[in-house]
Amino acid sequence: MGSTAIPEDVPGTVQASSTRMKRQYLVAIAAVAAALLLRYLLNPVLGQQGPYLILTLPIVAAAVYGGFGPALFATALGTSAGTYLFIDRGAGLHDVLQPENLTRTLLFVVIGLAVALMGGWLHRSRAALADKVRQLKSSNRAKDNAMAVLGHEIRNPLSAIHLAQTVLQRAPGDEKRIAWATEVIGRQVAQMTRMADDLLDLSGVMRGAPPARLEVDLRQVLLQALEQSAPLYAKKGHRLHTRIGDAPVVVTGDAQRLVQVFANLLTNAAKYTDPGGEIALTLQPKGAREVAVAIEDNGVGLPPGLVADLFEPFVQAPGAASNAEGGLGLGLAIVRKIVTAHGGEVTADSAGPGQGSRFTVVLPKAQGGA
């Protein structure tokens, strides 16, 4: 089994984040320096009137550009420099602590903190919006690809069905050809039915009612999922290792939907593992209130950049296009939606291409459950 590793692009991401942070603080310093210069030039006119007024501008600039940290830094710089240059210079500490000066300083600090907090919220909102836009763009690209795959996947069965129809027309009395054509038509119709079922299932899950709130033995759910996926495991000669214990593990939800989740994950593990591969199914508690089910294989693995988008609709792992089972890339999106509706979480990780994959589903235990 492939062990989880830090993606190769993490060091580059950390370095880029560090560079961006340095740039944000440098912008705060530059903005404060520019405001101090402007205030110094206006000092003959303003004197000690409004020593901090102009210094609020760099705080706003730092908040908009860098968020809470740089804005707070600009507030500290502005307070120190403004007090020294326009209040304390040429005066003693006694003058700085005069009620009028102290009030202006405290008011400036409060304004700076407020602007910093708003800047932090704005910065987080912009980051969340950018991430959402990225997800939408990725989903849109995946949907476009899926439409192309759908056309390809539909055309192939239709071509085979058309060929079988031609054979039946040319040799209506040949039993062998009739049997062959019947088998071809049945197999291709089953493939098209699977694709239609995936589309209908995703639509139903996305707009469906919350799952039933019944107590379910998760072990029995896993045994049913294993039974459903057994033919594919036998066909590919995989070695399946199960560690699910003997005691009931009770969760709350819809047993049929949960079977669908784990049958999908087990089938995916079989599809993307070369014949004769090894796959492990493990059920174990996670803390006092949750239970984790892990499905790990030594198959084709996942590139680091794909893991974040793997559970989006129409996203397929590399090699899916050449996979004999076909599909539209909807299975994992359905899995995530069902698991989330049950109050759980599903994650994927991989050490990289050729290093296998691990999918983990975490579900809350039923109250009072084992």
Side-chain angles (χ1 to χ4, degrees):
M1 301 296 168
S3 58
T4 303
I6 298 176
E8 294 180 0
D9 61 343
V10 166
T13 302
V14 172
Q15 184 177 2
S17 178
S18 176
T19 301
R20 184 168 59 251
M21 184 177 295
K22 289 178 181 177
R23 187 165 59 245
Q24 291 169 351
Y25 280 90
L26 286 175
V27 167
I29 293 173
V32 171
L36 286 173
L37 177 60
L38 179 60
R39 179 62 179 81
Y40 180 78
L41 294 175
L42 295 175
N43 194 53
V45 178
L46 298 177
Q48 290 191 0
Q49 301 299 316
Y52 301 110
L53 182 60
I54 295 178
L55 293 176
T56 57
L57 298 177
I59 299 176
V60 173
V64 170
Y65 184 76
F68 179 79
L72 193 63
F73 182 61
T75 301
L77 280 180
T79 303
S80 303
T83 302
Y84 175 75
L85 293 175
F86 308 117
I87 296 179
D88 186 36
R89 195 170 186 180
L93 181 62
H94 175 74
D95 292 327
V96 175
L97 297 179
Q98 288 294 320
E100 181 184 359
N101 292 332
L102 189 59
T103 300
R104 288 187 296 187
T105 302
L106 291 176
L107 181 60
F108 176 74
V109 171
V110 169
I111 292 174
L113 286 173
V115 172
L117 288 171
M118 288 188 291
W121 175 82
L122 177 63
H123 198 64
R124 289 191 299 271
S125 298
R126 286 191 304 181
L129 179 60
D131 186 58
K132 194 65 178 178
V133 169
R134 182 192 62 80
Q135 291 179 8
L136 289 173
K137 287 182 178 179
S138 176
S139 179
N140 191 54
R141 286 195 300 270
K143 191 178 298 184
D144 290 341
N145 293 336
M147 293 301 102
V149 172
L150 179 60
H152 179 74
E153 294 283 351
I154 290 177
R155 183 180 61 185
N156 285 347
L158 289 177
S159 298
I161 291 171
H162 179 68
L163 177 62
Q165 180 194 24
T166 303
V167 170
L168 289 174
Q169 289 175 338
R170 292 180 178 178
D174 190 329
E175 293 185 0
K176 289 184 178 180
R177 292 191 175 186
I178 291 175
W180 174 84
T182 302
E183 181 182 352
V184 168
I185 292 173
R187 188 168 58 248
Q188 300 305 324
V189 168
Q191 171 68 6
M192 295 179 69
T193 301
R194 280 199 299 270
M195 290 188 291
D197 287 344
D198 279 349
L199 288 168
L200 291 172
D201 205 7
L202 178 64
S203 176
V205 168
M206 293 297 288
R207 56 183 174 84
R213 309 308 297 174
L214 302 174
E215 289 192 349
V216 178
D217 182 1
L218 194 54
R219 287 186 67 259
Q220 295 302 318
V221 167
L222 294 176
L223 290 175
Q224 291 183 49
L226 286 168
E227 183 179 344
Q228 289 187 15
S229 57
L232 181 57
Y233 278 71
K235 177 182 176 181
K236 300 194 71 172
H238 292 321
R239 294 184 294 276
L240 179 62
H241 310 281
T242 60
R243 295 187 294 275
I244 61 175
D246 299 319
V249 179
V250 183
V251 298
T252 303
D254 186 326
Q256 183 178 355
R257 285 298 190 184
L258 291 174
V259 170
Q260 181 182 0
V261 165
F262 296 109
N264 187 298
L265 294 176
L266 285 166
T267 300
N268 271 2
K271 285 166 60 177
Y272 296 107
T273 300
D274 292 334
E278 295 191 6
I279 298 168
L281 171 66
T282 306
L283 169 64
Q284 60 186 9
K286 182 181 180 182
R289 300 182 179 181
E290 294 180 320
V291 60
V293 179
I295 299 172
E296 189 172 5
D297 62 67
N298 63 347
V300 299
L302 298 167
L306 180 67
V307 173
D309 298 323
L310 195 59
F311 295 96
E312 295 296 326
F314 306 108
V315 173
Q316 293 182 309
S322 59
N323 193 283
E325 303 297 326
L328 300 176
L330 298 176
L332 290 178
I334 294 171
V335 164
R336 182 175 65 174
K337 186 66 178 178
I338 295 174
V339 172
T340 302
H342 282 76
E345 180 185 21
V346 57
T347 57
D349 55 79
S350 172
Q355 301 297 313
S357 305
R358 179 185 178 93
F359 287 80
T360 304
V361 175
V362 178
L363 294 168
K365 292 182 180 179
Q367 292 185 358

